[in-house]
Amino acid sequence: MSAIACGVDFGTSNSTIAFYQDETLTLVPVEKHHTTIPSAIFFERIDNTPHYGREAVNLFLERHKGRFMRSLKRVLGTSAMKQGTLVNGSPMNFNKIIGQFVKYLKDKAELTAQQEIDSVIMGRPVFFIDNDPVGNKNAQEELRTIAQNVGFKNINFQFEPIAAAFAHEVNVSGEKLAIVADIGGGTSDFTVIRLSQKYLTKPDRSSDILANTGVRIGGNDFDKDLSLHAFMPELGYRTTYGDKNLPIPLKYYFDLSEWSKINTLYTPKNLMQIRQYLGQSHDKPRLSKLLNVIEQESGHILLGAVEDAKIALTDAPSYVAPLDFIEQDFVINTTKMMFEEAIEQEIVKMATSASECVKEAGITPDAIDLIILTGGSTEIPAVQAKFRELFPNAAVSDENKLDSVGVGLAYDSKRRYL
């Protein structure tokens, strides 16, 4: 058997795995011909049989009985890792849940390589959790334990934006001072790095990495912002009830707008309370739609519709979201302007973090030669415009937005293990 090592990009929204073998890099087809897979699991209600990726999403959308989960990465480093969750009525540890997904990736890579893979570089965000050093340390160690449990023997970590830089470096002419903007589903990470093809085989790149910053904001937060801005008001968000004009609790709407919290809403207590509020509501038509969503347990379908609107508004000036599953002929009209207003503050926070990265590197914005955009949320025109505004002298490299971190991790695995 030939020497082999791999890189795993376990993302909040999508994941990839790539390996290096016989001087060749292979990006693994992890779901049919696809080299990326949604980071989603669906457990069948009968026996908790797991399904992954697009298959998991489709089973859920087709209303099969079971438990659907996504955005699992956001659990790392939080108290939920220890608490676990109920999966079809049975307690299950998140180490096991995430481990099943990572093992699925490993199995696919080994099937493609036709041999076992012991050595891995795991991608990680600069910060799993903002302003929480203990949580960040715990998150990496939890991911290390998961990697060990699925059979990896040699485990190292690399910041995801640095991995993305490695993937783009093979196409760099001369030497470039680059900033990598890796905007994923759960985090936005930034790295200022010197790139050159002559550095490709350099064993230690620490002197070329000038600064790293990050913030816990990503595409999932854009979903949440659009949901609260355009969708939740049509379900009674910020409406009132009773003689004292008290607001309907906001928690329902915030949890309904966050992938990792939707399942917590489906309790008899919440149903009872919403029915009580509906009896005293000053806007019964809208609040009844919220009740429908909770009764039908269709929160993930609703947030999926929000995500569809987000994707559509990346290119189109307007989009009509069909929500027949809530009520017949129910639609919500959205516009690009509405979406950009909703996410404006998140983009400002991303820009602030990127500017801090450049400042920590000891350079000025006009010294940046190249902007490397990676992660699905960099498709959004308002995001691209902000980075072009921040770094006016820089060219933009944005190919392979969803694959580049996995590819870069595989390059790094070669550098470290082979």
Side-chain angles (χ1 to χ4, degrees):
M1 288 191 294
S2 53
I4 189 169
C6 75
V8 171
D9 175 21
F10 170 53
T12 304
S13 297
N14 296 282
S15 295
T16 59
I17 184 168
F19 62 79
Y20 218 98
Q21 181 186 42
D22 297 329
E23 294 302 310
T24 302
L25 186 143
T26 300
L27 193 58
V28 177
V30 281
E31 192 174 14
K32 297 181 179 177
H33 65 281
H34 299 285
T35 54
T36 63
I37 181 171
S39 303
I41 302 180
F42 182 85
F43 292 98
E44 289 184 30
R45 182 166 293 179
I46 297 171
D47 54 6
N48 275 349
T49 298
H51 301 268
Y52 305 96
R54 293 167 186 81
E55 183 186 8
V57 173
N58 290 336
L59 285 171
F60 176 75
L61 293 178
E62 290 164 6
R63 309 307 294 268
H64 286 251
K65 298 295 185 183
R67 173 74 189 274
F68 179 65
M69 305 177 77
R70 53 179 287 187
S71 298
L72 293 167
K73 187 175 181 178
R74 282 202 153 184
V75 180
L76 291 167
T78 71
S79 58
M81 279 298 291
K82 294 184 177 66
Q83 295 166 359
T85 188
L86 287 177
V87 176
N88 297 318
S90 301
M92 192 177 290
N93 191 290
F94 276 108
N95 275 337
K96 179 179 179 181
I97 295 168
I98 296 173
Q100 286 179 297
F101 188 84
V102 174
K103 186 175 189 305
Y104 173 89
L105 297 176
K106 184 174 188 283
D107 289 346
K108 287 289 185 181
E110 290 177 341
L111 184 66
T112 302
Q114 292 295 293
Q115 70 178 80
E116 286 187 24
I117 304 175
D118 292 336
S119 301
V120 65
I121 303 292
M122 300 289 296
R124 59 151 294 174
V126 175
F127 299 113
F128 286 94
I129 306 169
D130 290 343
N131 305 312
D132 186 354
V134 173
N136 276 296
K137 183 180 178 183
N138 289 344
Q140 178 168 302
E141 290 312 303
E142 287 159 0
L143 201 50
R144 183 190 303 278
T145 298
I146 288 165
Q148 288 171 337
N149 289 344
V150 303
F152 288 117
K153 296 181 174 64
N154 307 305
I155 303 159
N156 278 291
F157 292 86
Q158 181 59 271
F159 290 142
E160 289 155 358
I162 294 174
F166 292 158
H168 286 258
E169 190 168 43
V170 294
N171 300 316
V172 167
S173 59
E175 183 173 303
K176 295 281 194 297
L177 198 56
I179 184 164
V180 184
D182 178 9
I183 302 176
T187 58
S188 295
D189 295 313
F190 308 98
T191 292
V192 174
I193 184 171
R194 288 191 196 91
L195 298 179
S196 172
Q197 287 191 21
K198 65 185 179 184
Y199 299 157
L200 285 171
T201 57
K202 195 174 172 183
D204 182 3
R205 297 299 301 273
S206 55
S207 63
D208 300 318
I209 300 162
L210 305 187
N212 292 295
T213 59
V215 64
R216 192 178 164 88
I217 296 170
N220 287 3
D221 299 284
F222 292 163
D223 295 342
K224 183 173 184 175
D225 294 333
L226 181 58
S227 175
L228 291 170
H229 194 71
F231 285 72
M232 292 300 113
E234 298 304 318
L235 274 68
Y237 178 54
R238 298 198 180 281
T239 61
T240 57
Y241 73 96
D243 296 337
K244 296 182 179 179
N245 290 320
L246 297 173
I248 302 296
L250 302 181
K251 187 177 189 301
Y252 303 130
Y253 302 99
F254 277 79
D255 288 354
L256 203 53
S257 301
E258 192 160 336
W259 289 107
S260 58
K261 292 184 178 178
I262 290 171
N263 280 307
T264 65
L265 286 167
Y266 306 143
T267 66
K269 180 180 176 183
N270 282 339
L271 278 170
M272 179 187 71
Q273 289 175 339
I274 294 169
R275 287 178 184 130
Q276 289 174 344
Y277 296 134
L278 182 59
Q280 304 176 63
S281 171
H282 301 146
D283 195 338
K284 287 184 172 62
R286 285 189 170 90
L287 191 59
S288 66
K289 294 181 178 68
L290 173 67
L291 181 60
N292 285 346
V293 170
I294 305 302
E295 284 181 335
Q296 297 169 17
E297 298 189 1
S298 57
H300 281 97
I301 299 175
L302 174 57
L303 197 50
V306 175
E307 186 178 40
D308 289 343
K310 175 187 74 173
I311 293 167
L313 294 171
T314 296
D315 297 316
S318 62
Y319 175 75
V320 179
L323 302 174
D324 286 349
F325 63 92
I326 297 177
E327 191 175 280
Q328 188 175 354
D329 298 327
F330 178 40
V331 299
I332 289 179
N333 296 296
T334 60
T335 65
K336 185 187 286 283
M337 183 179 294
M338 188 184 291
F339 174 48
E340 291 181 352
E341 285 174 358
I343 66 172
E344 182 179 3
Q345 290 307 308
E346 309 288 22
I347 293 177
V348 169
K349 291 172 188 174
M350 290 174 180
T352 300
S353 185
S355 298
E356 286 171 358
C357 191
V358 170
K359 186 176 180 182
E360 285 183 20
I363 59 173
T364 56
D366 57 4
I368 296 293
D369 302 308
L370 182 66
I371 305 165
I372 296 174
L373 299 177
T374 188
S377 294
T378 58
E379 297 275 5
I380 296 168
V383 172
Q384 294 183 6
K386 176 56 72 173
F387 280 89
R388 291 177 192 275
E389 176 191 318
L390 285 176
F391 308 107
N393 297 339
V396 176
S397 178
D398 62 355
E399 65 270 12
N400 301 321
K401 287 187 180 75
L402 298 180
D403 293 336
S404 60
V405 172
V407 168
L409 291 170
Y411 278 127
D412 202 27
S413 75
K414 179 200 178 191
R415 196 180 279 123
R416 299 215 208 181
Y417 297 123
L418 304 181

